[in-house]
Amino acid sequence: MSRGNVLFLLSGSIACYKACTVISRLTQAGVAVQTVATPSALRFVGKATLEGLSGRPVFSDLWEEGRALDHIEHARWADLALVCPATANTVNRLAAGLSDDPLGALFLAWELGQKPWWIAPAMNHRMWEHPATAASLEKLRGWGVQVLDPVEGPHACGETGSGRLVEPEEIAAKVQAALGKIQR
Ligand SMILES: Cc1cc2nc3c(=O)[nH]c(=O)nc-3n(C[C@H](O)[C@H](O)[C@H](O)COP(=O)(O)O)c2cc1C
C-alpha cells in the first residue's frame, strides 16, 4: 500500500544529484513519487535516473503526446508537492504565477491552502540574499507555501554562505512525517 503520493519537482541546480537521494529514500519507504523536471534540471540529471528511481516516466513537457492533462491530473493525485531543488529562477517564476511549463502549470493547478506545497531552495548565497528572491519567497510564504530554508555551508562555486540545500535525509524524513499526518 502506498504511504502517500508526492509530486517531486526538480529545477536546474547542481543539487539535483542530492534530490535523487530524497526520491530514493521516499520510494524505499513506500511513497509513490511522480517526478517533474524543468529543461535545466534535465541537464543535471537524466530522465532514466528519475524514472528508474521513481518507477514512473518524468513529466517534463506540457505538449508531449498522451500527457495533455497531466498538469491537472498530477495536481489532483498528489498529497504533497515538493520543489527540490528550487532554483532562484524557479522561485521567482512561481511567485510571478507563470505557467508555461509543467512545474508552473502544476503550481497554479494546486489547491494551495488545502494541500502542502513545499520548496527546498538551493543556490549561491548572493542569489539567496538578492531582493528579487527574498521578495518572491515572502510572496510564496504569504500564499501558504512552506519553505525548507537552506542552510549555511560551502557551495559548489567555492563560496560559503546560506543557500545550501537541506540534507536529503532530513528532507525525506520531513516529507514522510507530513504524509503521516495527512488523512487520505
Ligand atoms: C553548473 C550550474 C549550476 C547551477 N546551480 C544553480 C543552483 O544551485 N541554484 C540556482 O538557483 N541556479 C543554478 N544554476 C542556474 C540555473 O540552472 C539557471 O538559472 C536555470 O535557468 C534555471 O532554470 P529552472 O529554474 O527552470 O530549472 C546553475 C547553473 C549551472 C550551469
Side-chain angles (χ1 to χ4, degrees), residues 13-15 85-88 120-124 127-128 150 155 163-166:
S13 155
I14 189 89
T87 61
M123 64 195 72
N124 167 277
M127 296 172 93
W128 173 248
H155 295 279
R164 255 176 85 89
L165 186 75
V166 177

Side-chain angles (χ1 to χ4, degrees), residues 11-15 38 40-41 44 86-90 93 101 122-124 127:
S11 55
S13 155
I14 189 89
T38 66
S40 302
F44 289 94
T87 61
N89 179 60
T90 284
R93 283 171 51 79
D101 70 350
M123 64 195 72
N124 167 277
M127 296 172 93

Side-chain angles (χ1 to χ4, degrees), residues 17-42:
Y17 80 94
K18 295 186 182 174
C20 292
T21 302
V22 182
I23 297 167
S24 171
R25 295 292 178 273
L26 292 176
T27 53
Q28 280 169 11
V31 176
V33 175
Q34 171 64 54
T35 59
V36 178
T38 66
S40 302
L42 293 177

Side-chain angles (χ1 to χ4, degrees), residues 6 17 26 30 33-35 40 45 49 53 57 61-62 64 83 86 103 106-107 115 120 123 141 155 175:
V6 170
Y17 80 94
L26 292 176
V33 175
Q34 171 64 54
T35 59
S40 302
V45 56
T49 299
L53 288 171
D61 180 1
L62 279 174
E64 194 181 329
V83 187
L103 193 149
L106 281 159
F107 181 58
K115 301 198 288 183
M123 64 195 72
R141 283 190 170 105
H155 295 279
V175 170

